Amino acid sequence: MVYLTRKAEFAASHYYHNPDLTREENQRIFGKCNNPNGHGHNYTLEVTVKGEVDPRSGFVVDLKQLRDVLHREVLDAMDHRFLNKEVPEFSSRIPTTENLAIAIWQRLISKLNQAQLHRVRVYETPDLFVDFYGEA
Amino acid sequence: MKAHLTRRYMFSASHRLHSDAMSEAENAKTYGKCNNPYGHGHNYALEITVSGPVDESTGMVCNLVDLDGFVQRDILQRFNLENLNTRAEFVQAVPTTENLCTAIYDILQRGFTQAHLEKVRIEETMMNSFEYAGGKLLSR
């Protein structure tokens, strides 16, 4: 089994707000991230797939195909977007880095036919990242 | 849905690697330059990984304000800009980065209850790093 990681970057804005909570609760839990005008990050995405090395090609996965799926499913939808308003998953879920990693996993899982998705890692800043392994 | 969250912190400290159980010659042979009696320092990078279900209401594994507050109070204040050899954790143990990893893991394991502690990773320099997961195998 060999693991291969592809990296991509995107920039997006978001804010944290739960409509089921009061204004004060939202403020207390989310602090500055609760500002409704949003704020932005340069996200770094690392997608790791695993599989056996194809003896004919020497590849775990066709990198071009992986790149195309990443672009179509993630970057086209999220790069230079306001996550709360423009990405459907976040009309009902708060776009925390945790939920972003889960949403990206769910977008990719059905589209990768050659290799098995192992991990989605999303860096919100260089000192904060979330890993999602598809665990329930 | 279970996610893993990693937060990175920086701190600077000095130490001297020296074991009372060894002779001077053995210490010099084992620890080389790190055995210099006056000590030396590093800029350490500490990565703490916690895990847990993503809370439906907040979208979070744990509130970063809680994690940052705990780390600031119970770890950084204890070690940042200190001589590690003078700290209680290293009265018995040599302040190698291995032992620093286990000491910080134990502090988190005892005191931080808002999420499950997965592992502690410390970069002593850009060229070396150490990880401790409480004796569990590091599968990831």
Side-chain angles (χ1 to χ4, degrees):
Chain A
M1 187 75 82
V2 174
Y3 295 75
L4 181 146
T5 300
R6 178 109 205 175
K7 205 164 159 169
E9 290 187 340
F10 63 97
S13 60
H14 69 175
Y15 76 109
Y16 295 169
H17 182 82
N18 182 340
D20 298 336
L21 304 176
T22 64
R23 222 168 80 142
E24 290 69 31
E25 281 176 307
N26 271 295
Q27 265 297 324
R28 188 178 53 77
I29 296 170
F30 300 121
K32 284 212 295 194
C33 302
N34 187 228
N35 171 2
N37 296 320
H39 61 277
H41 297 285
N42 292 323
Y43 291 96
T44 300
L45 167 64
E46 289 180 7
V47 173
T48 302
V49 296
K50 61 184 173 185
E52 299 302 331
V53 177
D54 183 306
R56 222 160 43 89
S57 68
F59 291 159
V60 170
V61 61
D62 180 345
L63 267 182
K64 187 179 173 306
Q65 195 238 343
L66 180 58
R67 197 188 79 101
D68 289 347
V69 171
L70 269 184
H71 271 260
R72 201 173 53 242
E73 300 299 325
V74 182
L75 302 186
D76 288 353
M78 299 187 187
D79 188 30
H80 287 78
R81 303 280 183 190
F82 195 150
L83 298 176
N84 301 66
K85 300 179 187 202
E86 297 183 89
V87 178
E89 286 93 327
F90 302 119
S91 60
S92 56
R93 265 190 276 166
I94 304 172
T96 55
T97 316
E98 290 90 329
N99 279 334
L100 195 49
I102 293 170
I104 291 172
W105 174 283
Q106 288 167 342
R107 279 170 176 252
L108 293 176
I109 190 74
S110 59
K111 301 294 192 301
L112 293 173
N113 41 25
Q114 284 177 324
Q116 201 187 331
L117 191 55
H118 172 66
R119 183 182 78 189
V120 166
R121 172 174 287 186
V122 180
Y123 284 86
E124 183 181 85
T125 61
D127 62 10
L128 173 67
F129 62 86
V130 167
D131 291 325
F132 185 61
Y133 296 88
E135 292 168 288
Chain B
M1 299 273 187
K2 180 185 174 189
H4 292 62
L5 179 141
T6 301
R7 183 74 149 162
R8 189 175 164 96
Y9 305 90
M10 303 297 296
F11 66 96
S12 305
S14 64
H15 68 173
R16 180 202 184 198
L17 304 187
H18 179 90
S19 168
D20 291 337
M22 295 184 201
S23 69
E24 268 190 40
E26 278 177 300
N27 268 298
K29 183 168 170 288
T30 307
Y31 298 119
K33 283 204 292 192
C34 301
N35 187 231
N36 168 12
Y38 298 107
H40 63 280
H42 296 285
N43 293 323
Y44 293 95
L46 164 66
E47 284 185 4
I48 295 170
T49 303
V50 296
S51 70
V54 178
D55 186 285
E56 295 254 334
S57 153
T58 63
M60 296 170 173
V61 168
C62 71
N63 199 319
L64 275 179
V65 175
D66 296 335
L67 181 60
D68 285 353
F70 182 88
V71 172
Q72 187 59 41
R73 228 174 20 250
D74 288 76
I75 296 169
L76 300 182
Q77 273 187 21
R78 193 178 307 210
F79 297 126
N80 187 34
L81 303 175
E82 296 285 348
N83 181 332
L84 297 179
N85 298 69
T86 66
R87 307 304 307 182
E89 288 78 7
F90 301 110
V91 169
Q92 304 289 338
V94 183
T96 58
T97 309
E98 291 89 329
N99 282 336
L100 189 54
C101 264
T102 59
I104 289 177
Y105 184 96
D106 289 344
I107 294 169
L108 284 158
Q109 185 73 308
R110 275 199 307 271
F112 187 71
T113 51
Q114 283 91 331
H116 174 72
L117 180 62
E118 285 285 338
K119 73 172 183 194
V120 167
R121 176 173 177 272
I122 301 178
E123 294 172 16
E124 183 181 69
T125 69
M126 280 168 66
M127 308 302 276
N128 65 33
S129 67
F130 304 81
E131 294 180 57
Y132 181 63
K136 295 189 296 289
L137 281 178
L138 282 161
S139 56
R140 284 157 178 161

